[in-house]
Amino acid sequence: MLLLAPLFAAALAGALPEADTRSFKFWIVGCDNGLLCHAAAMAPINGDESNTMSFMRGPEADDVPVVRFVSADKPVAAIAGGVRFALTEYGDYPAVAPADMPAFIDAIRKAEVIFLVGENNAQLGVVSLAGASASMLYMDEQQRRLGTQSALIRKGPRTYVPPPPPLPVIKAPALSRAEPVAIDRSALFADVGLSDEEAREFNMATYRLDANTTLALIETDYGGAYNIEYIVMLADNKGAWRPAPFDTAADMSGEGPAADGLYYGATNAAYESQNGLLIGGPLCRGVGDCGHQFAYVWDGAVFRKVRGEALGASRGRIVPISTLRASVIRARR
């Protein structure tokens, strides 16, 4: 297995803080820096992992929660507290209709499980509600709704909900339509500690970041069955290559910083040319129900994290929980 040479400088000052997640019995919950809150049901330990539930709410005072189900089958209804709720579609997921949300919230506060129903009343399984009320109370606390009419759990007479904090704004250069700079592949691979023979074994893709910068993602054999580490390099228009700097590298490598404070690679990295985002993140297992996802944008000097998402705790797939968001403003061409 290839041992990568240390490539990344220690994290730069000014990185955006990322929110933690909390667990309450069979539920996990998190609220990001903009107070978008998201709770999700996890499967009981050693239980059926085919059905989970996502409960998301924005920070605005009148925001209506969004409830979605992730299921191996396609449920058409959910039964909670003896009340049947027909499901609609929200993106790729079956969801509770917005008009049914007040009754649905009231029902799940009193129930222990949700029964999912398919076509012809087929019983598709259950979702545990153990920890759901505590998770919703946590969301109310973070969004400062306690004692208000819009609270999920601890309602009160007040109507005012403080506005959410503004999202950080990252300024980025205009995306360029120019071709990536020409690469001396042998020289580049030598710079990162690979021989010509090793270089032939590894895939590499290049992308134009802006008018002055080309990105190279070099796939390695380091990482494991479902985690692939990539070396991330940049070149100027003269073809001079250097390691790509990041404002934070805590999740760029599945193992974090080395003893010398340097970083080794980006896990499962890919570049989205249409929006200029470097995405990826380490997985805890191949089904993709635990781990972390990230998105970085190039600001002309450094890659800055603009999105972070948690994937749960290896107990069924969930809709990713937002832990960090930022707005990106690009310069015009």
Side-chain angles (χ1 to χ4, degrees):
M1 178 179 290
L2 173 69
L3 296 179
L4 303 182
L7 293 177
F8 296 101
L12 302 178
L16 300 176
E18 193 156 357
D20 294 326
T21 58
R22 297 277 303 274
S23 294
F24 298 97
K25 296 184 179 178
F26 295 156
W27 279 63
I28 183 172
V29 60
C31 297
D32 67 18
N33 55 314
L35 295 185
L36 171 64
C37 292
H38 184 178
M42 300 180 292
I45 298 175
N46 299 323
D48 180 11
E49 298 181 357
S50 58
N51 299 302
T52 60
M53 171 179 154
S54 163
F55 191 110
M56 183 183 298
R57 193 181 200 186
E60 294 76 16
D62 58 352
D63 192 82
V64 177
V66 174
V67 172
R68 292 169 282 182
F69 294 95
V70 181
S71 176
D73 300 293
K74 187 173 182 179
V76 298
I79 299 175
V83 182
R84 182 184 176 108
F85 297 90
L87 300 181
T88 181
E89 290 188 1
Y90 187 99
D92 296 329
Y93 302 96
V96 176
D100 290 336
M101 197 56 61
F104 181 80
I105 293 172
D106 185 62
I108 63 175
R109 290 176 58 187
K110 303 171 184 176
E112 295 182 357
V113 298
I114 292 175
F115 297 93
L116 296 182
V117 180
E119 297 287 351
N120 301 317
N121 287 322
Q123 303 301 304
L124 304 181
V126 301
V127 174
S128 174
L129 292 172
S133 292
S135 297
M136 290 190 291
L137 180 61
Y138 177 83
M139 294 168 66
D140 282 342
E141 291 173 337
Q142 299 303 304
Q143 294 181 341
R144 295 166 289 182
R145 297 181 187 272
L146 294 179
T148 71
Q149 295 179 18
S150 67
L152 299 169
I153 298 297
R154 198 173 296 169
K155 292 183 178 293
R158 295 187 293 111
T159 58
Y160 176 73
V161 175
L167 294 181
V169 176
I170 306 298
K171 295 182 179 179
L175 296 175
S176 174
R177 297 175 181 173
E179 291 296 318
V181 70
I183 294 177
D184 183 339
R185 188 181 178 96
S186 295
L188 171 59
F189 277 63
D191 285 345
V192 297
L194 296 173
S195 66
D196 283 343
E197 181 179 356
E198 289 172 319
R200 288 192 292 270
E201 299 177 2
F202 297 117
N203 296 322
M204 178 177 66
T206 58
Y207 308 89
R208 173 66 71 162
L209 289 180
D210 59 31
N212 303 307
T213 314
T214 291
L215 165 70
L217 294 179
I218 305 170
E219 180 181 330
T220 76
D221 63 353
Y222 182 78
Y226 42 82
N227 285 316
I228 298 176
E229 295 291 330
Y230 288 79
I231 299 171
V232 187
M233 299 289 285
L234 301 177
D236 60 23
N237 288 338
K238 295 181 180 179
W241 290 92
R242 66 190 188 279
F246 291 83
D247 66 345
T248 176
D251 64 355
M252 295 304 290
S253 170
E255 299 178 357
D260 56 9
L262 303 179
Y263 294 84
Y264 290 88
T267 310
N268 299 328
Y271 185 70
E272 296 182 338
S273 298
Q274 70 276 17
N275 56 20
L277 292 180
L278 178 64
I279 64 171
L283 302 175
C284 298
R285 60 178 186 170
V287 294
D289 63 352
C290 55
H292 195 78
Q293 294 179 335
F294 60 74
Y296 285 79
V297 70
W298 174 249
D299 74 351
V302 64
F303 276 107
R304 298 198 176 277
K305 185 185 285 188
V306 294
R307 186 174 72 232
E309 296 174 327
L311 295 176
S314 300
R315 286 160 57 186
R317 291 189 307 111
I318 65 171
V319 178
I321 295 175
S322 177
T323 55
L324 172 69
R325 288 180 297 147
S327 297
V328 177
I329 297 179
R330 287 198 177 276
R332 296 181 179 180
R333 289 192 181 95

